[in-house]
Amino acid sequence: MRPGKMAPAGGRGAVRGLWVPLAVLALARAALALTEQYPALSLLQQELPRQHQGPAGGCASAGEWGEQYSAECDSSFLHFHESDCDTGGSSSCESVISLNTEKILNQAKLLAEQKRFPFATDNDNTNEELAIAYVLIGNGLYDEAIRHFSTMLQEEPELVSAIYGRGIAYGKKGLHDMKNAELALFELSRVISLEPDHPEVFEQRAEILSPLGRISEALSDLTKAIQLQPSARLYRHRGTLYFISEDYATAHEDFQHSLELNKNQPIAMLYKGLTFFHRGLLKEAIESFKEALKQKADFIDAYKSLGQAYRELGNFDAATENFQKALLLNQNHVQTLQLKGMMLYHHGSLDEALKNFKRCLQLEPYNEVCQYMKGLSHVAMGQFYEGIKAQTKVMLNDPLPGQKASPEYLKVKYLREYSRYLHAHLDTSLAEYNIDVDLPGNFKDHWAKNLPFLIENYEEQPGLQPHIKDVLFQNFESYKPDVQELICVADHLGSMMQYETPGFLPNKRIHRAMGLATLEVMQAVQRTWANSKVRMNGKTRLMQWRDMFDIAVKWRRIADPDQPVLWLDQMPARSLSRGFNNHINLIRGQVINMRYLEYFEKILHFIKDRILVYHGANNPKGLLEVREALEKVHKVEDLLPIMKFNSKTRDGFTVNTKVPSLKDQGKEYDGFTITITGDKVGNILFSVETQTTEERTQLYHAEIDALYKDLTAKGKILILSAELGEVDAVCNLILSLVYYFYNLMPLSRGSSVIAYSVIMGALMASGKEVSGKIPKGKLVDFEAMTAPGSEAFSKIARSWMNLKSISPSYKSLPSVSETFPTLRTMIEVLNTDSSHCLKKAIVV
């Protein structure tokens, strides 16, 4: 129903011409709450989703981000009760209409007497009429308010309060209509020209500018407001805009200023924590989130953020506890269900993850993340019919013109095609087909590079075949005792590969998959050293080094079908000639990649050495100055001034590592490239990348071929004569071979854990078992990539592996490849619960 027209006021004191239909008044329940006196529209709506604001924005009564702060909010002074009356005109309804009209007038009178609205005048009649229009705004009757202000401005064109009120009303009508936005900005700018020293007007204009994407102008207005009269709210609002702009350091300063002026601000404390979180400073973020909870014990989003911070730290139990606390406060909190579900998926608890995604979709049927993850979880568990149904729903959700497609929308077609391929091969022997050969080249190329699915002449995989049934749940007890033992041993071996580093969540599904891969590698290598042939890709032949890695690749692929684990040299020749970049940002802007923090200093020393070599060759006169400057460099950002010393490095520089050859002494291969660009702290890119080209791949392959040939020869001798020297030589050959694999980075994903499972399996074939865990903060691939050579890497790796003689009981374990010969049997064993493995001692 459209609001009724308001009769123009008859003069400064005439208020009796007001008529407002009850149906509108009865539904307009939101209260008018004004800044510390009259607040602006809430800035917080820009970042944290689904935040509910009070009608004037600053004082929320409920919603995701909970209450704002009583210190900054006036109590509501308008509240209408629901009514069954319509405006058809019964006498009882007429009395209610007049009662509500009377209420409005009474509230306006009270407002006028207390001058609780912006730019009150010295004239009581004028104030009362102004108050009526502000009350109308509070009830959502923006057109009526605009007409009322306009009538007043016809008589008094420079009545500042009316100009300001009309600007607010235009803004609240809706900024999706550019006309409203332009009129609101015009009116507020007029107020500033008439009254340039009022911070609330600059704040209000910033509130209009920010949703329009005019962030720098909004920041300028908030800065002016702060200069005029700093307040906790203004610093918080400006901090929020810096946060949206990803300037987390400056945002942090503003939230800190805000909290110094008013420490009891749970949302400001939460945001302070988020500025730490987005910079990778997880421990500091956790402290802030805990502080927010001290201020507001039922703060759902603080629990949710705390859960996510612990998840990023890799602390599954603490993350679960905090997600659960958020859901106890609100079981329908969609974001928490989504984040908890994703954590459970990446922990390998697919069944539990699925429950969260299904609940999420009951509440938000069009949630693309939950829909995609639901489809992925089903497929990972072998439930292809349900999985593809969910994937198709994501595919149908086309982005609107001009709208950016979601990551899920971009990935889902690859997942659906891959799911169809997997389903078709569920019962085919794994030795008879090869994903790298079977999947179309352009499909693999686009999937590995995460490109939109725009593949010319692509022929879709066949739909699901009805005669191929989904994977059924396999009970652990239904396996024979020796297979149960095999599974428990695999779980133990897989857990030995877990990184104790922020960013790496323990994944029990990956642990089991890579534990089984380790055992299968051990058995395959032992057979090879005993002159047995293997069945691979439909052919029976002697095992090559790639076959050894392919065992681990096979298990890693099926553990998480979301990630394309593909051999880069099997990509189309055209794309391989251009090179594949494995790119890792260590610092981007203000975001620090916590996974690699342990290696910053090592890489920094290497860079400093290379800079001295470079300047020694190209700028010998300035070498002393550069050397002195480098002595003061203790972190990456300190390199920025040194870049100015040479015109060629002013905007940044790249440094290449070299990998020495064992096969051809004195020869070196390209390692990885370190890049630093930027002009100031906070605007820096510090990254490493490995470019896998055809020429580089061939050089590394020749090195690995030579090492594998030597390894096979020494392995055969070892089987006949287990002398200590032979065992040591074999161990060093295994670690050297994997050193080159790590530096080549030949896979699109998963190289690190795949290579480590090969190390463990091949060492077990030689009679040695890894009993030590990877040290805290260490990453095996980065140890190899930053080591000066293969001998150095072998020495580092052996220092923590704590190698011991293998237990004889490994020999009695059944063959992994014969026990799980098909994709179906692999998925079954990965789905199987084996929690009681923890309750009994592992024999080996």
Side-chain angles (χ1 to χ4, degrees):
M1 182 184 293
R2 290 174 60 82
K5 291 188 177 180
M6 183 175 66
R12 282 285 164 259
V15 292
R16 302 206 178 275
L18 174 68
W19 178 82
V20 183
L22 174 71
V24 176
L25 289 177
L27 293 170
R29 296 164 61 75
L32 178 62
L34 304 168
T35 68
E36 259 112 5
Q37 288 179 307
Y38 18 88
L41 304 165
S42 173
L43 279 163
L44 292 172
Q45 67 192 348
Q46 290 301 301
E47 164 58 20
L48 299 168
R50 291 176 296 280
Q51 180 183 344
H52 297 285
Q53 287 87 34
C59 307
S61 58
E64 275 212 18
W65 294 94
E67 296 165 12
Q68 294 258 18
Y69 335 104
S70 56
E72 297 198 8
C73 293
D74 290 321
S75 60
S76 304
F77 56 84
L78 269 185
H79 185 80
F80 290 97
H81 295 280
E82 299 288 355
S83 168
D84 293 327
C85 291
D86 61 40
T87 53
S90 76
S91 58
S92 61
C93 282
E94 284 171 10
S95 64
V96 178
I97 289 173
S98 93
L99 172 67
N100 279 289
T101 305
E102 191 177 334
K103 265 194 165 184
I104 286 180
L105 298 177
N106 287 338
Q107 295 295 346
K109 189 174 181 183
L110 184 64
L111 199 65
E113 285 171 359
Q114 297 178 355
K115 293 190 176 180
R116 282 176 56 220
F117 60 88
F119 302 103
T121 71
D122 295 330
N123 185 304
D124 292 342
N125 290 338
T126 300
N127 286 344
E128 201 162 330
E129 279 208 46
L130 287 166
I132 288 169
Y134 279 106
V135 170
L136 289 169
I137 291 175
N139 281 277
L141 302 170
Y142 307 126
D143 286 328
E144 281 74 2
I146 289 165
R147 288 191 198 101
H148 200 83
F149 284 131
S150 298
T151 302
M152 297 181 76
L153 287 165
Q154 283 173 6
E155 294 188 27
E156 198 173 329
E158 294 194 349
L159 183 59
V160 175
S161 185
I163 300 169
Y164 183 69
R166 192 161 67 175
I168 291 174
Y170 278 127
K172 295 180 81 58
K173 271 185 74 173
L175 300 182
H176 52 274
D177 185 338
M178 275 306 295
K179 188 178 177 185
N180 289 335
E182 287 166 7
L183 287 167
L185 290 172
F186 176 75
E187 300 288 31
L188 294 171
S189 299
R190 278 182 68 200
V191 175
I192 287 169
S193 66
L194 292 166
E195 296 281 353
D197 297 328
H198 287 262
E200 68 273 15
V201 191
F202 286 99
E203 184 183 13
Q204 190 72 58
R205 191 167 69 175
E207 298 283 9
I208 305 292
L209 289 164
S210 56
L212 301 176
R214 294 162 66 174
I215 303 295
S216 60
E217 293 171 76
L219 284 168
S220 176
D221 272 357
L222 287 169
T223 300
K224 180 66 177 172
I226 287 168
Q227 288 167 354
L228 288 167
Q229 189 180 338
S231 71
R233 187 193 64 257
L234 285 170
Y235 276 119
R236 186 182 73 243
H237 284 189
R238 190 174 68 174
T240 309
L241 280 192
Y242 279 125
F243 183 91
I244 295 160
S245 307
E246 297 186 12
D247 187 349
Y248 302 119
T250 310
H252 175 267
E253 288 174 18
D254 272 356
F255 292 128
Q256 190 59 40
H257 284 312
S258 182
L259 287 160
E260 284 165 8
L261 291 169
N262 177 6
K263 64 180 181 181
N264 187 31
Q265 296 187 78
I267 290 182
M269 187 59 74
L270 175 79
Y271 258 103
K272 179 183 168 184
L274 289 171
T275 64
F276 284 130
F277 181 88
H278 282 276
R279 285 181 288 163
L281 305 172
L282 298 174
K283 289 177 181 173
E284 293 86 344
I286 285 167
E287 288 309 307
S288 294
F289 297 147
K290 285 180 176 177
E291 192 59 41
L293 283 163
K294 283 181 190 173
Q295 295 182 12
K296 181 171 168 51
D298 61 348
F299 199 177
I300 293 175
D301 287 278
Y303 279 122
K304 179 199 74 181
S305 300
L306 198 51
Q308 191 64 359
Y310 277 123
R311 180 242 185 276
E312 288 299 318
L313 269 182
N315 189 334
F316 176 77
D317 291 336
T320 302
E321 181 187 342
N322 283 284
F323 284 141
Q324 206 50 44
K325 283 178 178 176
L327 290 170
L328 282 171
L329 289 166
N330 178 4
Q331 62 179 355
N332 297 334
H333 198 256
V334 171
Q335 259 193 325
T336 302
L337 288 164
Q338 180 180 307
L339 289 170
K340 186 184 175 194
M342 291 181 79
M343 179 190 71
L344 287 163
Y345 178 87
H346 292 291
H347 179 62
S349 306
L350 272 52
D351 226 7
E352 288 299 308
L354 201 49
K355 290 174 189 173
N356 284 269
F357 298 133
K358 285 178 177 177
R359 178 71 185 135
C360 166
L361 289 166
Q362 284 174 351
L363 298 164
E364 245 180 45
Y366 297 103
N367 185 308
E368 276 193 325
V369 175
C370 290
Q371 192 68 257
Y372 179 88
M373 292 304 299
K374 178 189 172 189
L376 175 61
S377 302
H378 276 304
V379 164
M381 290 192 288
Q383 298 162 3
F384 290 91
Y385 288 88
E386 281 298 319
I388 288 176
K389 194 192 297 180
Q391 292 163 19
T392 305
K393 286 183 181 177
V394 178
M395 285 175 59
L396 295 173
N397 198 15
D398 294 317
L400 298 169
Q403 185 183 8
K404 192 178 176 184
S406 69
E408 289 72 32
Y409 182 83
L410 292 174
K411 290 193 300 180
V412 72
K413 194 154 189 184
Y414 297 107
L415 179 62
R416 190 178 75 158
E417 291 301 288
Y418 185 45
S419 300
R420 286 171 164 177
Y421 176 86
L422 293 176
H423 184 263
H425 291 82
L426 265 179
D427 299 305
T428 308
S429 168
L430 288 153
E432 301 302 319
Y433 65 96
N434 182 343
I435 287 173
D436 285 286
V437 173
D438 295 347
L439 292 175
N442 281 345
F443 175 90
K444 293 187 298 175
D445 182 52
H446 280 61
W447 191 19
K449 292 175 179 172
N450 201 24
L451 297 171
F453 197 103
L454 299 169
I455 304 171
E456 287 183 23
N457 304 319
Y458 177 75
E459 192 174 325
E460 287 193 350
Q461 294 286 328
L464 300 189
Q465 304 300 307
H467 68 279
I468 302 174
K469 302 302 178 189
D470 273 350
V471 177
L472 298 174
F473 178 74
Q474 186 86 349
N475 208 310
F476 183 76
E477 285 73 21
S478 67
Y479 287 111
K480 292 177 182 175
D482 60 344
V483 177
Q484 290 183 20
E485 192 62 41
L486 181 72
I487 296 168
C488 290
V489 170
D491 285 355
H492 168 70
L493 290 172
S495 70
M496 303 289 286
M497 304 180 204
Q498 179 62 42
Y499 284 153
E500 300 279 333
T501 302
F504 292 95
L505 187 74
N507 187 325
K508 58 188 183 182
R509 193 176 180 87
I510 297 281
H511 288 172
R512 178 170 301 169
M514 303 323 292
L516 287 165
T518 298
L519 292 167
E520 191 174 343
V521 167
M522 174 192 78
Q523 293 166 348
V525 171
Q526 284 174 336
R527 286 198 304 273
T528 300
W529 291 348
N531 278 322
S532 294
K533 293 183 179 180
V534 293
R535 180 83 178 161
M536 291 293 237
N537 306 329
K539 295 176 184 173
T540 304
R541 52 176 170 74
L542 289 171
M543 187 169 80
Q544 300 303 309
W545 68 264
R546 191 195 288 262
D547 302 325
M548 181 169 65
F549 282 93
D550 255 331
I551 291 167
V553 166
K554 160 186 85 173
W555 283 101
R556 176 62 183 79
R557 274 176 180 155
I558 205 59
D560 183 5
D562 190 39
Q563 297 181 347
V565 182
L566 301 164
W567 289 95
L568 297 180
D569 69 336
Q570 300 291 304
M571 294 291 178
R574 187 181 60 183
S575 62
L576 188 61
S577 65
R578 290 198 297 265
F580 268 80
N581 289 351
N582 271 308
H583 185 93
I584 301 167
N585 286 330
L586 303 179
I587 300 175
R588 183 184 66 83
Q590 298 172 7
V591 181
I592 299 166
N593 193 332
M594 294 299 286
R595 289 184 170 195
Y596 304 96
L597 204 54
E598 181 90 6
Y599 295 92
F600 279 24
E601 192 174 341
K602 199 172 184 180
I603 294 171
L604 189 59
H605 281 302
F606 175 77
I607 293 169
K608 287 161 78 170
D609 289 343
R610 300 310 299 168
I611 287 173
L612 285 173
V613 171
Y614 174 82
H615 278 278
N618 296 287
N619 182 23
K621 288 182 180 176
L623 186 59
L624 182 62
E625 189 183 0
V626 171
R627 192 186 297 276
E628 287 173 355
L630 281 171
E631 285 172 7
K632 297 170 187 172
V633 170
H634 302 294
K635 54 185 186 292
V636 176
E637 294 92 324
D638 297 343
L639 289 170
L640 293 174
I642 292 166
M643 286 156 57
K644 314 297 181 203
F645 280 113
N646 187 291
S647 60
K648 289 184 179 176
T649 63
R650 188 164 292 144
D651 300 319
F653 58 84
T654 59
V655 180
N656 296 307
T657 65
K658 293 294 178 184
V659 176
S661 169
L662 280 176
K663 185 170 69 74
D664 302 314
Q665 290 297 317
K667 192 175 178 180
E668 290 182 324
Y669 308 131
D670 288 334
F672 63 92
T673 302
I674 305 159
T675 303
I676 298 179
T677 60
D679 52 7
K680 63 181 188 295
V681 175
N683 184 27
I684 186 172
L685 178 66
F686 174 38
S687 63
V688 298
E689 71 177 22
T690 306
Q691 189 168 41
T692 306
T693 59
E694 191 170 10
E695 182 186 358
R696 181 175 178 274
T697 299
Q698 286 172 357
L699 291 169
Y700 274 89
H701 278 193
E703 193 79 30
I704 295 171
D705 283 339
L707 284 164
Y708 183 76
K709 190 176 178 182
D710 203 1
L711 174 63
T712 305
K714 284 196 164 49
K716 288 179 178 180
I717 295 169
L718 184 65
I719 281 186
L720 300 171
S721 161
E723 290 184 23
L724 192 62
E726 292 293 343
V727 175
D728 255 11
V730 166
C731 287
N732 286 331
L733 280 169
I734 291 165
L735 289 166
S736 294
L737 187 152
V738 176
Y739 165 78
Y740 289 101
F741 180 91
Y742 274 130
N743 277 284
L744 173 58
M745 280 288 167
L747 295 164
S748 58
R749 294 283 177 87
S751 294
S752 187
V753 73
I754 284 165
Y756 202 64
S757 62
V758 168
I759 289 174
M760 288 178 68
L763 284 171
M764 286 164 74
S766 75
K768 290 291 179 183
E769 181 183 357
V770 174
S771 66
K773 283 205 164 193
I774 301 163
K776 196 170 184 178
K778 298 285 184 188
L779 308 177
V780 187
D781 51 351
F782 255 60
E783 287 298 321
M785 290 163 69
T786 56
S790 60
E791 286 180 20
F793 171 67
S794 296
K795 189 176 178 183
I796 293 164
R798 291 182 72 156
S799 71
W800 79 65
M801 284 180 168
N802 193 20
L803 295 177
K804 64 178 186 181
S805 294
I806 194 170
S807 164
S809 54
Y810 277 107
K811 289 181 181 177
S812 63
L813 292 173
S815 162
V816 176
S817 60
E818 290 172 15
T819 309
F820 310 112
T822 63
L823 208 52
R824 182 184 297 279
T825 52
M826 286 173 72
I827 295 172
E828 281 173 352
V829 74
L830 293 183
N831 289 347
T832 301
D833 174 46
S834 59
S835 50
H836 68 285
C837 282
L838 303 172
K839 296 169 190 170
K840 61 176 182 176
I842 295 170
V843 175
V844 294

